[in-house]
Amino acid sequence: MIPAQFDYVAPGTVADAVAALIDGGEDAKVLAGGQSLIPVLRLRLSYPSLLVDLRKIDELRGVREDGAELVIGAMTRHADVISDPLVRQHAALLAEAAATVADPAVRHRGTFGGSLAHADPAGDLPAVAVALGAQLVAEGPGGRRSIAAADFFQDYLQTALAPDEVLVEVRLPKLQGRWGVAYEKFSRTAQAWAIVGVAAAVRRDNGAIAEARIGLTNMGSTPVRAGAVEAALAGASAEAGTIAEAAAHAADGTHAPSDLSGGSDYREHLARVLTRRAVTTAAGL
Amino acid sequence: MTRVSMNVDGVVYEDEVESRTLLIHHLRERLGRVGTPIGCDTSNCGACTVLISGESVKSCSVFAVQADGEQITTIQGLADGQGVNGEAVGQWHPVQRAFQQHHGLQCGYCTPGMVLAAVDLLARNASPTEDEVRHGLEGNLCRCTGYQNIVKAVLSAASELRGEGPLPGSFQDSADLTGVGA
Ligand SMILES: Cc1cc2nc3c(=O)[nH]c(=O)nc-3n(C[C@H](O)[C@H](O)[C@H](O)COP(=O)(O)OP(=O)(O)OC[C@H]3O[C@@H](n4cnc5c(N)ncnc54)[C@H](O)[C@@H]3O)c2cc1C
Ligand code: FES
Ligand code: FES
């Protein structure tokens, strides 16, 4: 279908984008890669009066280091995240998860910031942001503010961003020391969204697991951390039996949805199995 | 209306477009380049795939205004020497030739998108494994072929583009097509 009519601007700076959003009011929307927004507009599920396209704002693109943090511009495309050497070195979990997003054509347009701002519980990258403790930097009329990933995702397709705020960049703490990572995604067909996904980063120390960070995709209306598994793994020996015992807690405290892809009990089972696999791989076993 | 200028298959077109016009509609209805079909309403099928600066994109999921200033290759630009690999005029692109030789199409509806996705894939990976071809084409759905011959065609094109010649089993090698079923 053809989307309903809207006005379109493509400003050159974040400040101009924010000004355009303020002018446009409640019905103005940011356009990034369009890979979630354009399908929604084509199905006429949404009627924005104005789209503010970020594509001409160069400062929103690219990856750089800032001390102990890796800074990824919101408009950095999935394809660029996957191939970026800094991401591979300091946030390999993100590269691995981004490589499972959609298909090559979608990854040529879709952006990291767009994936987070869209906040689809089945999206692969929100769980990574939560697991790695990302800080999301937004700019609005009052300047910039930083939002912890855990506070950013509020509900199904709902984030802490105000309508006149632009997500500018994502700051990921670099993984220091001996970290292994894995993203386990379960879906039934090619190019499909995750029924459940598990993002795991594990730091090994002398045969033990010093620290584990685990994020769950599609186990609730927002991405969540598997806190009980993380606690059970901290200081545990890096052995199959210990990991399996810890992974049995993967669904603790979650509210997994039931839909055509599976009931919540099925998702809970998947979360446990995929957590065991992801942690096993990340621990290098 | 917004003024846009884009290079499509080697020709620069300037136009006024509505902001809601999808690139696929602009190509088909305004520029008359109907070689690129529309297969779905959900951005899933990949039939509408074109290249923007050599990279595959779903032209149903890009607004024409977003393609302002861009270089676009459709299936109609591949054969004429305007394509990304600079083929001689009148020659088919090796990927097109391989689809014909390996029977990589039946109804042909998915073929323009499939061929362009394959061109993009081979530009990034000159020697893909069968598995890499299957994953590389996961955004393109075919309802006819069962994919087997599409994968064969892409592997054959890869071999030809590497200068190692097409893979055996292609039609051009089979002795007599007219004898089939006789
Ligand atoms: C066929 C298909 C399959 C897919 N499969 C997957 C999958 O398996 N896993 C997965 O994770 N994703 C999948 N996606 C979604 C894809 O990852 C999108 O790229 C992503 O969700 C949105 O990014 P975008 O840049 O395209 O954002 P857009 O579509 O442009 O925007 C999405 C939303 O975020 C807002 N927004 C975007 N950027 C900003 C910003 N900087 N500041 C404020 N608001 C902003 C927009 O206003 C809009 O509401 C799929 C998409 C398609 C079409
Ligand atoms: S028509 Fe574009 S993906 Fe189906
Ligand atoms: S040949 Fe018919 S859809 Fe692929």
Side-chain angles (χ1 to χ4, degrees), chain B residues 58-113:
Chain B
K58 295 177 177 179
S59 63
C60 71
S61 305
V62 177
F63 288 120
V65 287
Q66 294 177 288
D68 181 34
E70 301 284 5
Q71 182 109 17
I72 293 155
T73 307
T74 77
I75 192 69
Q76 289 170 270
L78 262 196
D80 283 333
Q82 322 281 5
V84 286
N85 283 306
E87 284 296 281
V89 173
Q91 285 259 310
W92 275 7
H93 187 283
V95 174
Q96 291 174 303
R97 202 155 49 234
F99 268 66
Q100 187 245 338
Q101 289 168 353
H102 290 270
H103 209 130
L105 61 147
Q106 288 177 26
C107 81
Y109 204 85
C110 69
T111 312

Side-chain angles (χ1 to χ4, degrees), chain A residues 81-186:
Chain A
V81 166
I82 294 165
S83 62
D84 189 273
L86 288 173
V87 173
R88 291 190 162 271
Q89 192 182 347
H90 300 294
L93 182 58
L94 175 60
E96 200 174 302
T100 74
V101 169
D103 56 64
V106 171
R107 296 197 293 266
H108 282 144
R109 305 279 311 170
T111 66
F112 185 31
S115 281
L116 302 181
H118 191 57
D120 191 315
D124 298 292
L125 307 183
V128 174
V130 167
L132 297 182
Q135 289 286 329
L136 285 72
V137 180
E139 183 168 328
R144 292 197 176 191
R145 66 180 178 125
S146 186
I147 309 160
D151 303 324
F152 183 81
F153 301 101
Q154 298 192 329
D155 203 347
Y156 180 76
L157 308 182
Q158 297 291 321
T159 70
L161 284 177
D164 54 6
E165 277 184 315
V166 172
L167 178 60
V168 175
E169 64 191 22
V170 181
R171 294 180 159 259
L172 296 172
K174 289 182 191 166
L175 293 184
Q176 317 275 6
R178 292 195 49 215
W179 286 90
V181 301
Y183 186 68
E184 285 284 340
K185 172 173 178 170
F186 190 85

Side-chain angles (χ1 to χ4, degrees), chain A residues 42, chain B residues 37-40 43-48 58 60:
Chain A
R42 285 178 74 194
Chain B
I38 307 175
C40 72
S43 306
N44 281 103
C45 76
C48 63
K58 295 177 177 179
C60 71

